[in-house]
Amino acid sequence: AVTVLFTLPAALSLTASNFQIGGIRVGAIIPAFDAQTLGGNTVAVDALTGRVTVLNFWATWCGPCRAEMPILDAAHAPDDGVVVLAINNMESQATVSGFATDLGLTLPILLDPDGRLQHQFGVIGYPTTVFVGPDGTVSAVHAGVLTADQLAGYIAATVPSP
């Protein structure tokens, strides 16, 4: 038997059409979904139309996820047309709530207790961030931790030209 080992870069970014990480393809329309927030409200994909949306798939046990969460929280600006949704991976409401409280997070946190959204979006590692234009089209996918400059660049590139 032959064992082949390979490594991926610490962060992988895709922006050209037809590139794909897991089941998420740049240029595709995001699948319909709805999920419950940590606060008990329901968020549906239809409510995101007309806004730049950042979908961040993460877990409390993920060190890079913890590192980038304050940056994502600061970017959430619904009054300016940018919505950041943090979609947790199959952890209890109590665990996620404690994490959010420890970091002082205010952005919407969606619970995915059975991993349905992770599967639907084909997430294969954490953190994974999907950038979606106002028309629901995926403009970029970033696997790995984001810096503030990277996040700002992706958001700026996702805003439609006037």
Side-chain angles (χ1 to χ4, degrees), residues 33 40 45 51 54 61-62 77 84 89 101 108 110 122 126 132 136 155 160:
F33 72 88
V45 73
R51 298 176 176 199
V54 179
W61 47 260
C62 166
V84 179
N89 177 40
T101 299
L110 303 183
Y126 300 101
V132 183
I155 289 171

Side-chain angles (χ1 to χ4, degrees), residues 24-138:
I24 306 164
R25 187 175 55 82
V26 173
I29 299 293
I30 61 168
F33 72 88
D34 61 77
Q36 187 175 18
T37 67
L38 192 55
N41 298 318
T42 298
V43 172
V45 73
D46 298 345
L48 305 174
T49 303
R51 298 176 176 199
V52 170
T53 303
V54 179
L55 303 174
N56 178 259
F57 294 88
W58 66 284
T60 61
W61 47 260
C62 166
C65 300
R66 183 179 194 86
E68 75 178 3
M69 200 57 71
I71 296 165
L72 292 162
D73 192 60
H76 178 66
D79 292 340
D80 294 330
V82 177
V83 174
V84 179
L85 299 175
I87 303 172
N88 178 263
N89 177 40
M90 301 188 338
E91 294 180 285
S92 73
Q93 186 169 0
T95 298
V96 176
S97 181
F99 179 89
T101 299
D102 288 349
L103 292 180
L105 300 176
T106 60
L107 78 166
I109 296 175
L110 303 183
L111 300 173
D112 188 16
D114 59 3
R116 176 180 50 89
L117 293 176
Q118 314 295 314
H119 179 73
Q120 192 172 4
F121 280 82
V123 175
I124 58 173
Y126 300 101
T128 295
T129 308
V130 180
F131 296 85
V132 183
D135 63 353
T137 301
V138 175

